[in-house]
Amino acid sequence: MIPRDIIERIREKNDIVEVISEYVNLQKVGSNYRGLCPFHLETTPSFYVSPQKKIFHCFGCGASGDVIKFVQEIENISYVEAVRKLGERVGITVSYTEEDEVRTKYYAFYKELHQLYKSRLSQNQSVIEYLKKRGYDAREISLYEFGFSPADSKLPQQVAQRLGLSKEELEKFGFSNTDPFAGRLIIPITDDFGRVIAFGGRLIGEGVPKYLNSQDTLLFKKSSTLYLFSFAKEYIKQVDYAIICEGYFDALAFHRAGIKNAVATLGTALTKLHIYKLKKLTPNIVLAFDSDSAGIKAVLRSLEMLIPEGFNVAIAKFEQAKDADETYSKFGVEGLVKVLDNSIGAEQFVVESLAKQYDLSNPRGFNTFIKNLRNWERLFSSNPKSLEKFYEHASATAGVMKEELKSLLTSQQSQNQANQYGQYNQQSRSYQQQNIQLPKTPVKKVPTTEDYLVYMYFNYPELFKQIEFTPDLLEGKAREFFLIAKGLNVSLDSLSKHMGEYVKEVFDKIDFEVDDKIVEYIKKDLELRRIDKRIAEIDSLVLKVTSDEEKRILLKARTELVRQKMKIKNQK
């Protein structure tokens, strides 16, 4: 167990905003910070960080907690590992635990097993010949530490027996009674610090699956591990961009060419955990996926994750070969350099890829093309320069003016308009259409006093304290909220689902700074509400009293309130 005082020191010394900013682009909103939630896909920010309360909370998926919980969830590691990681960040050593012993055994097991696999490769000439046919010489075979698992392999069990591992421990490390890599070329997979934590196996000859990865274990997660990352990370920092590939040999091709900032996913699509790992090193990415239809789909899926996180993304174009490995085999270093030089921006790639799917001379095809562009417009909108490039490529491809394209994309009636443009597009494909009335851009709802008060309660507590009011002056859910929250210190993560959804709706309405002018507006509106409430009370009393004197006093008070109300309304 880690002593409680050590955990508290680590929690205190790690600024939650600084830590989360390593993974999420945060924008200051009053006393809090806001960004896109890293735990689920979204295009509207619903993730909030409170430096005062030292917590994070997402209104979309409900994720919440302190800095330790965030690192635990984002890195997909245990609580102890998260504490240790944050401790290293601020120079606090976490004492030895039982979990350390398991980790030590794990590293020892994989290190020894890897050595055995390498020794078996050196004894198998046919596998060495296979690698040589792929262009690997003896130096590279040694450098990339390939191995081989014989068809009758019991190597994992032998290593486990030598290290005194139980059957349960061996299963936790990813093996059971057999060697799943038997008969395969072995490719070592390392953690961020170069320690072997898993293997990839490639069949020599025919059969399925061609490639096989270790199953997820205590220290290996496909969703967060990138092949060659331990070798590439320093080069990524130096050149300020990372190349992402889909397979071992594609990433190795770049490294063989001296382009050592390449990494690869491990049989899985690019995930947010991969993205956060790269985000600490660079904001620039080149996607070097296969040129086939599956590769194009993989690029589009990756862009949907990379663009909202603020990455600048280019896509490598393989025109004379299907992938990086084939390009290097056929054209060498110059071939890969040319592929990178010819990379195109994400904006152009998206438009070109979508345009190939539809017949733009057909109204229905044109309409569907516009509909799909609208989704990408929302993604690119976080970067004004990218958005303009997107508009330029899209308008040129669609055969309409840029302003006309924007109207199509933003219009609530864009489906009908797109049909009109599609008809026109089929006839002339020119810029001369003058008779179409362009629709107006939808107007965002203006926040109410209720909205401002709820928003300020969480994000501008000092300004909120300047405003005096009672919940009965408010309408709707705001009254319900402040009947509970006013006078208390309610945090985002303590809200019920019903109230959390309401607060998120309020936050989505306000994307600007709240200043003294807004505070004065709220005070003025609340004062008018107080007067109206008092006038309504007097009107009710007038109907009930029987004495003329009482009625006279009440009506005089009403007249004074109306005068005050007019005075307040006339104030500038």
Side-chain angles (χ1 to χ4, degrees):
M1 293 291 291
I2 304 172
R4 175 55 54 186
D5 63 321
I6 296 292
I7 294 175
E8 289 304 323
R9 280 176 57 207
I10 289 172
R11 187 183 284 115
E12 280 298 316
K13 285 203 168 189
N14 278 282
D15 184 301
I16 191 169
V17 174
E18 288 183 8
V19 172
I20 293 180
S21 291
E22 293 177 4
Y23 303 86
V24 181
N25 287 325
L26 295 177
Q27 173 193 9
K28 198 170 191 306
V29 183
S31 60
N32 292 329
Y33 290 80
R34 176 174 62 188
L36 293 172
C37 180
F39 302 114
H40 77 288
L41 287 175
E42 63 176 5
T43 55
T44 303
S46 61
F47 181 84
Y48 281 76
V49 182
S50 170
Q52 285 79 19
K53 297 183 175 67
K54 301 184 186 299
I55 61 166
F56 69 90
H57 180 75
C58 175
F59 288 106
C61 67
S64 63
D66 62 7
V67 66
I68 298 173
K69 180 70 177 295
F70 178 84
V71 171
Q72 184 182 353
E73 294 295 325
I74 202 73
E75 296 279 359
N76 196 21
I77 56 180
S78 69
Y79 183 83
V80 172
E81 288 176 301
V83 172
R84 181 186 290 109
K85 189 178 186 74
L86 288 168
E88 290 173 358
R89 188 177 181 275
V90 294
I92 298 175
T93 302
V94 177
S95 58
Y96 188 84
T97 67
E98 183 180 341
E99 192 169 330
D100 289 294
E101 187 177 347
V102 175
R103 292 161 64 94
T104 300
K105 285 183 179 180
Y106 187 101
Y107 291 129
F109 170 79
Y110 272 88
K111 182 178 181 179
E112 189 167 333
L113 180 56
H114 183 214
Q115 293 302 320
L116 284 180
Y117 283 149
K118 287 197 294 182
S119 70
R120 294 303 187 274
L121 175 63
S122 65
Q123 300 166 14
N124 194 306
Q125 195 58 37
S126 63
V127 182
I128 292 174
E129 286 302 316
Y130 166 80
L131 286 168
K132 286 183 176 179
K133 284 181 181 178
R134 297 196 67 146
Y136 288 83
D137 57 26
R139 182 192 67 84
E140 289 177 320
I141 291 172
S142 174
L143 176 65
Y144 300 122
E145 300 194 279
F146 294 119
F148 178 69
S149 178
D152 58 351
S153 172
K154 287 289 183 181
L155 298 180
Q157 292 73 30
Q158 292 172 19
V159 174
Q161 186 175 11
R162 233 180 348 257
L163 294 176
L165 301 181
S166 67
K167 183 181 178 181
E168 290 74 21
E169 286 177 314
L170 182 60
E171 288 179 352
K172 285 182 180 178
F173 291 180
F175 294 89
S176 55
N177 297 322
T178 60
D179 184 349
F181 299 107
R184 293 175 180 267
L185 172 72
I186 298 296
I187 303 158
I189 300 169
T190 64
D191 64 11
D192 296 356
F193 305 99
R195 296 170 295 200
V196 178
I197 56 171
F199 298 110
R202 207 284 189 195
L203 268 181
I204 306 299
E206 297 302 316
V208 290
K210 185 184 292 185
Y211 287 95
L212 180 70
N213 290 317
S214 292
Q215 66 185 56
D216 280 8
T217 65
L218 169 70
L219 296 178
F220 172 61
K221 300 287 187 295
K222 296 182 188 73
S223 62
S224 60
T225 306
L226 290 166
Y227 179 59
L228 293 181
F229 182 78
S230 61
F231 299 99
K233 59 184 181 182
E234 292 305 318
Y235 292 96
I236 291 171
K237 287 182 189 176
Q238 289 174 21
V239 299
D240 197 24
Y241 78 97
I243 301 168
I244 304 177
C245 308
E246 286 186 290
Y248 304 109
F249 287 100
D250 290 333
L252 283 169
F254 281 107
H255 281 252
R256 295 172 71 196
I259 305 168
K260 298 184 179 182
N261 54 322
V263 296
T265 55
L266 296 167
T268 181
L270 191 69
T271 69
K272 282 206 167 188
L273 294 174
H274 295 139
I275 290 171
Y276 300 142
K277 185 167 287 188
L278 293 168
K279 195 172 187 179
K280 298 177 185 179
L281 305 177
T282 181
N284 306 304
I285 298 291
V286 174
L287 295 176
F289 293 177
D290 290 3
S291 57
D292 57 13
S293 59
I296 291 171
K297 288 179 181 177
V299 170
L300 293 173
R301 284 197 304 269
S302 299
L303 290 177
E304 288 178 339
M305 303 185 73
L306 288 163
I307 292 169
E309 292 296 331
F311 282 94
N312 305 308
V313 190
I315 294 85
K317 294 194 73 174
F318 295 102
E319 295 176 334
Q320 296 178 292
K322 67 176 182 178
D323 55 30
D325 182 44
E326 187 177 304
T327 299
Y328 183 70
S329 297
K330 289 182 176 180
F331 308 107
V333 176
E334 293 78 9
L336 285 178
V337 171
K338 184 178 179 181
V339 163
L340 292 177
D341 287 343
N342 292 337
S343 296
I344 63 173
E347 306 85 5
Q348 181 180 345
F349 180 88
V350 166
V351 173
E352 289 181 357
S353 299
L354 292 179
K356 288 176 183 177
Q357 298 176 29
Y358 310 108
D359 178 5
L360 301 188
S361 65
N362 180 288
R364 182 174 294 178
F366 187 86
N367 175 53
T368 309
F369 175 64
I370 293 296
K371 181 180 178 181
N372 280 279
L373 284 181
R374 196 178 306 122
N375 298 327
W376 287 97
E377 180 192 32
R378 285 195 292 270
L379 285 173
F380 285 117
S381 64
S382 59
N383 186 320
K385 288 184 179 179
S386 290
L387 186 60
E388 280 306 306
K389 289 180 184 177
F390 171 73
Y391 286 143
E392 288 169 8
H393 290 299
S395 61
T397 302
V400 297
M401 288 183 173
K402 186 160 64 173
E403 292 307 315
E404 293 170 335
L405 176 81
K406 290 180 183 180
S407 296
L408 283 172
L409 293 172
T410 58
S411 170
Q412 292 177 327
Q413 302 171 358
S414 58
Q415 186 168 358
N416 294 332
Q417 289 287 353
N419 282 326
Q420 289 180 317
Y421 271 93
Q423 294 279 7
Y424 166 69
N425 204 38
Q426 186 178 20
Q427 294 166 8
S428 65
R429 304 286 289 174
S430 76
Y431 292 112
Q432 304 304 316
Q433 180 78 346
Q434 299 294 331
N435 299 323
I436 295 175
Q437 185 177 358
L438 297 178
K440 295 179 180 179
T441 302
V443 179
K444 194 173 183 179
K445 288 184 179 179
V446 177
T448 63
T449 292
E450 282 80 0
D451 294 333
Y452 281 126
L453 287 171
V454 172
Y455 188 75
M456 290 166 63
Y457 179 87
F458 290 107
N459 297 300
Y460 294 83
E462 294 307 314
L463 290 179
F464 178 81
K465 289 175 185 176
Q466 298 178 21
I467 303 171
E468 292 293 330
F469 69 96
T470 53
D472 62 313
L473 293 175
L474 308 179
E475 298 177 353
K477 293 180 182 177
R479 176 184 293 189
E480 179 186 344
F481 173 78
F482 282 111
L483 281 171
I484 302 168
K486 197 166 189 300
L488 299 175
N489 193 14
V490 174
S491 60
L492 295 171
D493 61 337
S494 66
L495 298 172
S496 65
K497 183 180 179 182
H498 160 74
M499 198 52 67
E501 289 172 353
Y502 163 63
V503 172
K504 183 183 183 301
E505 289 174 8
V506 170
F507 282 19
D508 287 344
K509 289 183 186 178
I510 304 173
D511 56 1
F512 46 82
E513 290 290 318
V514 175
D515 55 21
D516 291 337
K517 288 184 179 179
I518 291 175
V519 172
E520 289 306 312
Y521 158 78
I522 295 169
K523 288 180 177 179
K524 182 176 177 179
D525 186 53
L526 289 172
E527 184 58 32
L528 289 172
R529 294 186 187 197
R530 286 190 192 94
I531 292 173
D532 284 338
K533 184 171 180 288
R534 181 58 183 149
I535 289 173
E537 290 171 352
I538 289 175
D539 289 344
S540 177
L541 287 171
V542 167
L543 296 174
K544 294 177 182 178
V545 298
T546 56
S547 166
D548 290 341
E549 180 61 21
E550 287 180 306
K551 283 185 180 180
R552 187 184 64 78
I553 294 171
L554 287 171
L555 291 173
K556 183 178 180 182
R558 189 186 194 283
T559 301
E560 177 60 25
L561 288 169
V562 171
R563 188 188 66 78
Q564 290 178 23
K565 183 177 177 179
M566 295 305 297
K567 183 179 179 182
I568 292 171
K569 281 188 171 182
N570 291 329
Q571 288 175 352
K572 292 184 179 180

